[in-house]
Amino acid sequence: MDEIVSPRAQKLARQIQRDIGEILQRDRSYSVPGVMVSVTVVRVSSDLSFAKIYVSVFPFDRHKEVLAKLKENAWSVRKALAAKMRHQIKSIPEIAFYLDDSLEYADSIETALRKL
């Protein structure tokens, strides 16, 4: 995906982030019991045909289970997204879920620094 992002792509990414967050909170069929999932970043390709959705998982040790469930249900999440955005965009981008482990990385650095 291109580094230079158009204002339209940025606006679409923000809208997808809000809508996917709502979809994951509202519909429990996409979730894993006892796990909180947050949509942290959405990156949309310059041609608006593909969106990378980064999620943060708490507790982190169950991230593989959550990502597997999201990837298995990506088509139905995209369908729910299409229902929410049908009047805003002509074609809903393909979606893919990725793990955002930046919080865990920052926590591991902080823990290492405390040990010094």
Side-chain angles (χ1 to χ4, degrees):
M1 294 204 303
D2 299 271
E3 290 298 319
I4 300 173
V5 182
S6 70
R8 174 76 174 135
Q10 290 175 345
K11 184 177 177 183
L12 180 60
R14 286 191 304 271
Q15 187 63 45
I16 289 173
Q17 183 176 359
R18 281 190 296 271
D19 289 347
I20 293 286
E22 288 176 17
I23 290 166
L24 295 179
Q25 284 180 352
R26 187 185 68 235
D27 194 340
R28 295 291 173 196
S29 65
Y30 307 128
S31 65
V32 175
V35 177
M36 184 174 74
V37 178
S38 301
V39 179
T40 56
V41 178
V42 174
R43 300 203 180 179
V44 178
S45 64
S46 58
D47 64 356
L48 309 180
S49 65
F50 187 78
K52 287 184 175 181
I53 301 167
Y54 291 87
V55 294
S56 179
V57 178
F58 182 81
F60 185 71
D61 59 344
R62 297 186 63 194
H63 70 277
K64 289 182 183 177
E65 181 181 356
V66 170
L67 274 180
K69 181 115 180 166
L70 288 173
K71 287 179 181 183
E72 140 188 335
N73 290 306
W75 184 85
S76 57
V77 172
R78 183 174 180 238
K79 185 176 175 183
L81 180 65
K84 287 182 87 54
M85 297 184 74
R86 69 180 173 263
H87 299 298
Q88 299 170 11
I89 188 169
K90 186 176 181 178
S91 171
I92 301 299
E94 292 289 328
I95 62 173
F97 290 97
Y98 296 92
L99 181 65
D100 180 0
D101 61 353
S102 58
L103 292 175
E104 288 71 28
Y105 180 71
D107 186 49
S108 68
I109 289 175
E110 187 176 319
T111 302
L113 289 174
R114 283 188 196 153
K115 291 180 181 178
L116 294 178

